[in-house]
Amino acid sequence: MFKFAFHQAPLFLTLLAAPLSIAWGASQSPMAMALTGPDEPVGAEIMRAPDGLFYVNMKVNGQPVRFLVDTGANVMVLTASDAARVGVTPEARKFGSRITTAGGNARMAWARLDHVELAGREVHGLQAAIVEQGLPVSLLGQNMLSKLGSVTIEGDRLRMR
């Protein structure tokens, strides 16, 4: 079993899984997320996708968004198209910051997300990076994963509690 301790993770913005999602077919449909019932603890269990990665559908500002679970990313990262769909549209001049990913440099802007829902948890005011281009899928980073308490990977299952 592999267990992440997010409260001990250093705060560096690393986006290592994005190129892997391109190479391994990020266009694969996401695996179903099974939320627990009302008498069970809050959480979710996600099955590994055929490309070897974990994807989750969650709500951002009330809209569904597909994310790649990226434990190497310190913050949630939205593609420009996902950001626009959920009502977060930084002005072009706000894309003044740059980040380095395994796929190269990308222009990005910082934003705060009003409302994010995952695995029965609601978070308000979550910081996110909006990448102008070059990312095929939004990334679920440590700043949201750490709000879930425990995240474990066992075989082909990722559990969030």
Side-chain angles (χ1 to χ4, degrees), residues 7-117:
H7 64 283
Q8 298 173 353
L11 293 176
F12 297 105
L13 180 61
T14 56
L15 308 173
L16 301 177
L20 296 175
S21 66
I22 297 168
W24 288 343
S27 63
Q28 300 286 334
S29 58
M31 303 304 286
M33 184 169 92
L35 292 176
T36 58
D39 296 329
E40 299 177 44
V42 172
E45 183 173 284
I46 303 164
M47 297 300 298
R48 189 181 304 271
D51 64 5
L53 301 171
F54 294 98
Y55 297 90
V56 63
N57 290 318
M58 55 187 283
K59 288 195 174 185
V60 177
N61 295 346
Q63 299 296 315
V65 177
R66 180 174 179 252
F67 285 88
L68 167 67
V69 178
D70 185 354
T71 60
N74 283 21
V75 298
M76 182 178 289
V77 181
L78 292 173
T79 65
S81 61
D82 283 343
R85 195 161 39 80
V86 303
V88 179
T89 53
E91 298 171 19
R93 70 184 193 297
K94 299 277 186 180
F95 284 93
S97 300
R98 297 191 74 76
I99 58 172
T100 302
T101 72
N105 287 325
R107 288 179 13 127
M108 55 81 60
W110 289 108
R112 290 236 175 242
L113 305 176
D114 293 334
H115 187 242
V116 179
E117 295 177 53

Side-chain angles (χ1 to χ4, degrees), residues 134-145:
L135 206 63
V137 63
S138 292
L139 305 176
L140 178 57
Q142 292 179 26
N143 66 331
M144 181 61 190
L145 291 170

